[in-house]
Amino acid sequence: MNKTWWKECVVYQIYPRSFADSNGDGIGDLRGILGKLDYLKTLGVDVIWLSPVYKSPNDDNGYDISDYQDIMTEFGTLADWDELVAGMHARGLKLVMDLVVNHTSDDHPWFVESRKSKDNPYRDYYIWRPGKADGPPNNWQAFFTGSAWELDPATGEYYLHLFTRRQPDLNWENPKVRREVFDMMHWWLKRGVDGFRMDVINMLSKAPGLPDAAPLGGSRHVQGSEHFICGPRLTEFLGEMKRDVLSHYDILTVGETPMVSPDDAVALTHEETGALNMVFQFEHMDLDRNFAEQGSQPWKLQDLKAVMTRWQKGLEGRAWNSNYLSNHDQPRPVSRYGDDGPYRVVSAKMLATFNHLLQGTPYIYQGEEIGMTNVAFPSIDDYNDVATRNVYRVQTQELGLDPQVALAGIHKRSRDNARTPMQWSGAPGAGFTTGAPWIKLNPNYPTINVEQALADPDSVFYYYQTLIQLRKANPIFVYGTYDMILPEHDEIYAFTRTLDGERLLVVLNFTATSPEFAAPAELAYSSAELVIGNYPVEAGDVRRFTLRPYEARVYRLA
Ligand code: TEU
Ligand code: CA
């Protein structure tokens, strides 16, 4: 397997709106990020991925872009951006930008032109169709509820939008669109960008004829997705992007790819032939999602083990995993896979051990490194996220769900769980802002915050720091082969990593109980040296021991 910097690095994701506010308007901004680079250096990460910072009317918090080559007014200016990237590079940090090119904002000048008339030169930049007698051109659904089509009165035709109606899909069949996107990518790369995280990049190619979809079922969680997930021209479009743009720079590329299998991922990221370095898969994120009810369901450790093992083995030697438990769209991992009550700190460390010991590049989402938790706001009015508000509206107004039940679902699933401001201190505004934050703080900021974490040698923060240092010092953390052991165990997730005659054993207790670990006979070792763990461990039998709640141990075997 080839050795590359993007396999060895650790990526930290920033959601700029919620990270650090430098001017007291309650909105995080670029100068706020600049002021925290030394904090990120202390943590030890190498790469920073910024969620979108481009001009946007913020229907979907920047994932609706109205100018790809300028900065969102509230976040600062291009000059601030230049200063930020210089500040990163001076500290040896790399910058990955979000590339959102499946769709634009409806405020983008291309769309403003496109909707004017059927013969406008920009008409074919988007996907327009006449309706059928009884409504939209087909039965596809949008991700954030409702039809994926919007009727535009100016021309009496519908345009396609897989996300909100203010996010019209670009027509990638049009070579002019591809040219515009590639030119824009060159422009940023020449300005100093070190890579791209590519939003819903596996949705660029839609099936010819845009046929009606089969009823929902299987792993397809949006009606119509079989006609736009990894569509017929996807590898061609990305191959063109690779030839035209990516291959000319030494960068990190990660595609966000909902609903893909390991085989799909290999097609996109194969060591020799793939267009991208890696993709974000969603199978582990979808285990606790009930698609039929747009709600939650309990997840089982057995399923998590099976999914992760399928990805680890499916990509082994052929492609590279990107490992994450958290991002700006997902509930907080400690509330979801761990315990946000008495075992918050140990379970956050156990999950960190898990994410950093899998083979692949680890991604950390802001606040994860101090064990930030979900939030339960008392009213729907406290929520900002367009997806959250849409689901609540449909559930309470169209499906007749009790508002309290709908709200309880939101507490579990809302994307705003990840978007409450970063908790820097216990001061009013949590050290995030001196003004009124754009979204409420999580009320636990007086106890869970960076200041507290930096003052406590036993904090989640320093555990992450140690994991990152271990990764840098031990190639086996990066390149070791993964093999699961004890596949049938309901409480323990255990696996080995092997490289050049060296072997690590990773033992993780995903429960608040105290299961016993017993090494399988075929795993031969007589001694084991603790590399890292989230509890003090005394000398004793290393083949058989009892785990404490959410305990994690990593041993080097001999
Ligand atoms: O998310 C794509 C995506 O599929 C999400 O809708 C995901 O299924 C959902 O958020 C899980 O709850 C990307 C961005 O990460 C997201 O923030 C954007 O809203 C979306 O694309 C549209 O650009
Ligand atoms: Ca600000």
Side-chain angles (χ1 to χ4, degrees):
M1 187 172 299
N2 300 327
K3 299 199 165 179
T4 64
W5 66 265
W6 48 262
K7 292 179 180 172
E8 296 171 12
C9 72
V10 176
V11 184
Y12 186 93
Q13 182 193 353
I14 289 179
Y15 194 68
R17 200 170 192 81
S18 301
F19 191 63
D21 171 24
S22 70
N23 62 352
D25 67 355
I27 299 173
D29 47 54
L30 298 185
R31 304 204 75 83
I33 298 169
L34 187 60
K36 299 298 184 186
L37 294 182
D38 290 329
Y39 166 78
L40 298 172
K41 248 342 243 188
T42 306
L43 180 60
V45 298
D46 317 272
V47 177
I48 294 170
W49 149 31
L50 289 188
S51 275
V53 297
Y54 314 94
K55 276 250 184 314
S56 165
N58 284 304
D59 188 49
D60 187 18
N61 284 353
Y63 283 92
D64 50 319
I65 296 168
S66 54
D67 186 344
Y68 287 107
Q69 286 167 238
D70 205 349
I71 299 297
M72 194 188 298
T73 316
E74 302 93 307
F75 288 179
T77 62
L78 271 172
D80 293 328
W81 187 89
D82 286 335
E83 212 175 308
L84 179 61
V85 77
M88 289 183 183
H89 288 164
R91 288 169 178 81
L93 296 166
K94 291 181 190 283
L95 172 62
V96 164
M97 293 275 275
D98 223 302
L99 184 80
V100 188
V101 292
N102 174 70
H103 45 267
T104 69
S105 163
D106 62 348
D107 279 356
H108 194 290
W110 300 337
F111 191 74
V112 172
E113 285 301 313
S114 186
R115 76 195 317 177
K116 280 183 180 163
S117 66
K118 290 185 190 169
D119 56 6
N120 186 283
Y122 288 89
R123 186 67 168 179
D124 205 26
Y125 272 46
Y126 295 87
I127 302 172
W128 292 97
R129 293 288 184 279
K132 288 185 183 157
D134 53 348
N138 69 28
N139 66 356
W140 298 5
Q141 297 284 303
F143 275 79
F144 301 152
T145 72
S147 169
W149 294 94
E150 183 75 8
L151 178 62
D152 201 47
T155 54
E157 286 191 336
Y158 290 78
Y159 65 87
L160 180 72
H161 62 90
L162 295 182
F163 293 88
T164 78
R165 37 180 201 83
R166 299 206 54 194
Q167 292 167 300
D169 279 54
L170 282 166
N171 176 19
W172 273 72
E173 303 287 328
N174 182 348
K176 284 191 204 148
V177 167
R178 307 203 291 275
R179 188 68 261 148
E180 300 258 22
V181 170
F182 299 161
D183 287 347
M184 176 270 285
M185 293 172 74
H186 279 294
W187 187 83
W188 280 108
L189 288 160
K190 291 194 177 117
R191 221 177 164 104
V193 164
D194 303 298
F196 291 110
R197 174 268 188 190
M198 303 184 181
D199 195 64
V200 293
I201 203 69
N202 61 329
M203 304 187 193
L204 300 183
S205 167
K206 280 80 176 170
L210 309 177
D212 267 327
L216 269 189
S219 63
R220 306 290 188 197
H221 55 73
V222 172
Q223 187 162 290
S225 56
E226 70 269 35
H227 298 308
F228 60 76
I229 294 291
C230 301
R233 296 188 68 189
L234 178 65
T235 49
E236 179 197 335
F237 293 156
L238 293 180
E240 195 178 315
M241 182 190 283
K242 179 182 181 183
R243 259 193 324 281
D244 193 288
V245 186
L246 308 176
S247 61
H248 303 281
Y249 306 87
D250 179 21
I251 54 175
L252 181 160
T253 54
V254 55
E256 189 215 22
T257 55
M259 292 177 260
V260 294
S261 67
D263 285 342
D264 296 329
V266 170
L268 295 171
T269 62
H270 189 276
E271 288 260 336
E272 263 86 53
T273 55
L276 307 179
N277 296 154
M278 31 187 168
V279 295
F280 291 124
Q281 61 90 11
F282 282 79
E283 289 194 275
H284 60 318
M285 292 285 127
D286 290 345
L287 290 175
D288 65 353
R289 243 175 118 167
N290 181 328
F291 293 109
E293 294 172 14
Q294 307 233 45
S296 309
Q297 62 186 22
W299 63 277
K300 290 201 267 325
L301 184 61
Q302 289 285 0
D303 294 336
L304 182 68
K305 289 161 72 163
V307 162
M308 298 316 283
T309 302
R310 195 159 67 241
W311 278 87
Q312 291 283 301
K313 300 313 275 184
L315 269 53
E316 188 180 299
R318 300 195 289 163
W320 192 249
N321 273 287
S322 56
N323 297 317
Y324 71 101
L325 294 175
S326 179
N327 64 36
H328 64 292
D329 292 333
Q330 299 292 335
R332 290 285 180 176
V334 73
S335 300
R336 187 180 194 183
Y337 306 109
D339 174 84
D340 59 11
Y343 300 117
R344 184 183 67 84
V345 169
V346 277
S347 69
K349 292 175 182 175
M350 184 278 289
L351 293 169
T353 315
F354 175 45
N355 203 46
H356 287 254
L357 265 296
L358 291 168
Q359 191 189 62
T361 299
Y363 289 72
I364 302 170
Y365 177 67
Q366 68 183 45
E368 185 189 317
E369 79 279 17
I370 56 165
M372 278 178 64
T373 69
N374 280 356
V375 73
F377 290 135
S379 159
I380 186 64
D381 299 329
D382 297 323
Y383 287 87
N384 165 278
D385 170 34
V386 62
T388 302
R389 298 174 73 100
N390 284 1
V391 166
Y392 181 86
R393 197 188 55 239
V394 168
Q395 288 183 333
T396 56
Q397 293 176 19
E398 292 170 28
L399 306 174
L401 198 65
D402 178 78
Q404 285 313 311
V405 175
L407 201 58
I410 283 167
H411 292 162
K412 275 204 165 141
R413 290 227 54 84
S414 174
R415 306 197 296 180
D416 283 339
N417 281 311
R419 299 176 183 186
T420 60
M422 181 71 182
Q423 296 166 200
W424 294 102
S425 76
F432 163 72
T433 183
T434 54
W438 69 275
I439 186 171
K440 280 185 176 172
L441 296 158
N442 188 317
N444 63 21
Y445 74 88
T447 49
I448 303 173
N449 62 64
V450 169
E451 196 173 71
Q452 181 280 329
L454 291 176
D456 174 6
D458 216 23
S459 67
V460 178
F461 178 90
Y462 289 117
Y463 193 90
Y464 269 83
Q465 187 189 55
T466 306
L467 280 169
I468 295 168
Q469 287 166 355
L470 284 168
R471 180 182 184 83
K472 303 234 174 297
N474 297 281
I476 190 170
F477 268 62
V478 180
Y479 294 109
T481 302
Y482 163 102
D483 288 286
M484 179 161 59
I485 60 170
L486 306 177
E488 308 299 328
H489 208 294
D490 289 326
E491 291 150 317
I492 295 174
Y493 189 166
F495 55 92
T496 58
R497 301 287 305 280
T498 310
L499 184 70
D500 302 333
E502 196 187 346
R503 178 166 287 167
L504 298 177
L505 168 65
V506 182
V507 182
L508 309 167
N509 175 11
F510 268 78
T511 72
T513 63
S514 300
E516 183 175 73
F517 171 80
E522 62 276 14
L523 181 64
Y525 64 97
S526 52
S527 69
E529 174 209 346
L530 192 73
V531 180
I532 186 170
N534 59 354
Y535 282 89
V537 176
E538 282 166 18
D541 192 343
V542 290
R543 294 198 60 96
R544 184 180 281 271
F545 49 85
T546 301
L547 290 162
R548 288 154 284 188
Y550 297 102
E551 183 163 4
R553 295 190 196 185
V554 181
Y555 282 115
R556 181 176 280 107
L557 304 182

